Amino acid sequence: LEMAYLFWLPSLFGVAGLHRIYMGKIGTGLLFLFTGGLAGIGTIYDAITMANQVSEVNRREQYLSGFQSEAQTVINRVIFTQGQPGQMGGMGNMGSQTQRPQAGSIEQVIFRLAQKNGGSVSPAQLALDGNIGADAAKKHLESMVDRGYAELRVRKTGALAYVFPEFLQPDVASQFETLT
């Protein structure tokens, strides 16, 4: 809200519409810019209704974000099921048990990734497989360590990895420094 008002302030000096462009209302923003905020009337109107306009923009962004998240989940399901042993892949396989978990079940993504990788998961792997940012991936993995599901270990290469002892395979275990 503060940024919208900050972009509205130049309207007091004849440069109107920047706040509307900032909120994604390009057409009316340009109209305000070229007409002095509709001769000041639009500028006054926007000062009074700015909080509602910002709320509307935030709701629209939230809706679009949710829609994009759902679309990404469907895309991930299709990609994840392709190339799995015994799977046909594609949209016709949406009911399969080997699908990627629903959005919001990041723990299931972590456990499946740990199982697939012989017990070891890096934040970069989780970020790619879970379709989340690297910082969020690291935070989720640290949470798993805090709750006792995983351990933080150092590879012989010096890289840190999160190890899930339940899934740890001997060939993967040999990649880590020995615990003393």
Side-chain angles (χ1 to χ4, degrees):
L1 183 61
E2 292 84 14
M3 287 301 292
Y5 273 114
L6 189 63
F7 281 112
W8 175 84
L9 280 176
S11 298
L12 298 174
F13 306 103
V15 183
L18 298 178
H19 62 288
R20 285 185 165 263
I21 293 170
Y22 169 74
M23 291 188 292
K25 301 176 179 183
I26 308 297
T28 56
L30 292 174
L31 178 67
F32 274 44
L33 190 61
F34 294 121
T35 63
L38 298 175
I41 296 171
T43 299
I44 294 169
Y45 172 82
D46 280 355
I48 296 168
T49 64
M50 185 71 70
N52 290 338
Q53 290 184 48
V54 169
S55 293
E56 177 188 327
V57 169
N58 288 339
R59 279 193 305 274
R60 182 179 65 220
E61 290 296 320
Q62 239 178 350
Y63 172 78
L64 291 175
S65 173
F67 176 74
Q68 290 169 345
S69 176
E70 288 298 318
Q72 187 64 49
T73 299
V74 171
I75 291 168
N76 287 344
R77 284 184 191 163
V78 172
I79 292 170
F80 187 77
T81 58
Q82 291 178 349
Q84 293 290 335
Q87 300 298 319
M88 293 172 52
M91 294 296 281
N93 197 29
M94 295 294 277
S96 170
Q97 293 295 327
T98 60
Q99 288 179 10
R100 173 180 300 244
Q102 293 291 322
S105 59
I106 193 70
E107 288 180 357
Q108 289 179 350
V109 173
I110 293 170
F111 285 134
R112 287 194 176 131
L113 188 58
Q115 186 177 37
K116 182 175 101 178
N117 292 338
S120 172
V121 178
S122 74
Q125 291 169 325
L126 178 57
L128 286 173
D129 211 69
N131 195 32
I132 58 175
D135 290 337
K138 184 177 178 186
K139 181 178 148 192
H140 286 295
L141 288 168
E142 287 172 352
S143 170
M144 298 296 270
V145 170
D146 292 343
R147 292 182 290 152
Y149 294 111
E151 302 168 353
L152 186 58
R153 292 200 190 167
V154 179
R155 292 187 188 273
K156 290 181 179 177
T157 62
L160 292 176
Y162 295 83
V163 173
F164 293 77
E166 185 175 341
F167 301 116
L168 191 59
Q169 299 296 316
D171 61 322
V172 175
S174 67
Q175 298 174 5
F176 295 98
E177 295 291 334
T178 55
L179 298 174
T180 55

